[in-house]
């Protein structure tokens, strides 16, 4: 662990470039604006496979959005998911935390599939309208 002269905290990184930087391990950091940023480069990943539509649809079907407040922050209401209740595809090993990017990937795949379906249906409707005129 390193704290440089700017007050930047490096975890596994002797020369942090951000206020909190774990760059060498996985590229994750907190920007100077306070935004948590996940490392997403191929440099940090292995065993990369496409998410199938079937996997994404099954995970989406298993998500149960809830409203809640944290026990130590009773006045602020949030929306989200309960880590212990999410489908295996988006669950973390310990079932206590969630990665927003995992949920975004599932939603993106489902929306992409829906867009394909919408385009196909538009073509069919146009063909039917053309036939009836």
């Amino acid at each position: 662990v390193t704290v440089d002269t700017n007050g930047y905290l490096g975890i596994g990184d002797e020369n942090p470039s951000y206020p909190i930087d774990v760059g060498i391990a996985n590229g994750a950091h907190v920007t100077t604006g306070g935004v948590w940023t996940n490392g997403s480069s191929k440099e940090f990943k292995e065993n990369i496979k496409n998410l199938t539509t079937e996997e994404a649809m099954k995970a989406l079907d298993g998500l149960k959005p809830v409203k809640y407040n944290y026990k130590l922050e009773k006045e602020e209401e949030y929306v989200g998911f309960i880590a212990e209740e999410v489908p295996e595809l988006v669950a973390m090993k310990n079932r206590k935390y969630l990665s927003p990017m995992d949920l975004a990937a599932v939603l993106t795949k489902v929306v992409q599939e829906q867009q394909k379906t919408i385009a196909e249906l538009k073509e069919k409707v146009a063909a039917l309208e053309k036939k009836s005129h």
Side-chain angles (χ1 to χ4, degrees):
V1 175
T2 302
V3 178
D4 74 4
T5 57
N6 294 326
Y8 285 9
L9 174 66
I11 302 169
D13 189 343
E14 292 181 9
N15 298 304
S17 301
Y18 301 96
I20 300 175
D21 194 344
V22 291
I24 291 174
N26 59 24
H29 62 271
V30 173
T31 68
T32 53
V35 176
W36 180 259
T37 306
N38 295 324
S40 195
S41 170
K42 282 185 176 182
E43 292 177 34
F44 309 126
K45 300 174 181 180
E46 61 184 11
N47 302 317
I48 299 167
K49 298 175 260 185
N50 288 332
L51 177 63
T52 69
T53 300
E54 293 75 26
E55 290 170 319
M57 293 291 255
K58 183 177 177 186
L60 182 65
D61 287 344
L63 290 173
K64 294 179 247 164
V66 296
K67 295 189 299 185
Y68 60 93
N69 66 274
Y70 287 101
K71 292 177 181 179
L72 296 175
E73 192 178 14
K74 297 191 183 311
E75 62 283 341
E76 189 76 39
E77 187 173 70
Y78 296 91
V79 294
F81 304 95
I82 304 300
E84 294 87 348
E85 297 176 0
V86 298
E88 191 67 33
L89 182 66
V90 294
M92 305 291 283
K93 279 190 252 181
N94 63 11
R95 290 283 189 162
K96 296 284 183 200
Y97 307 97
L98 295 174
S99 166
M101 286 303 292
D102 293 352
L103 298 168
V106 164
L107 294 173
T108 299
K109 186 67 175 182
V110 171
V111 169
Q112 288 171 339
E113 189 63 27
Q114 289 175 345
Q115 289 305 114
K116 283 187 213 169
T117 302
I118 290 168
E120 290 168 4
L121 291 173
K122 280 182 174 180
E123 286 180 21
K124 287 180 183 180
V125 167
L128 289 171
E129 287 176 340
K130 195 174 183 181
K131 259 186 177 180
S132 69
H133 284 55

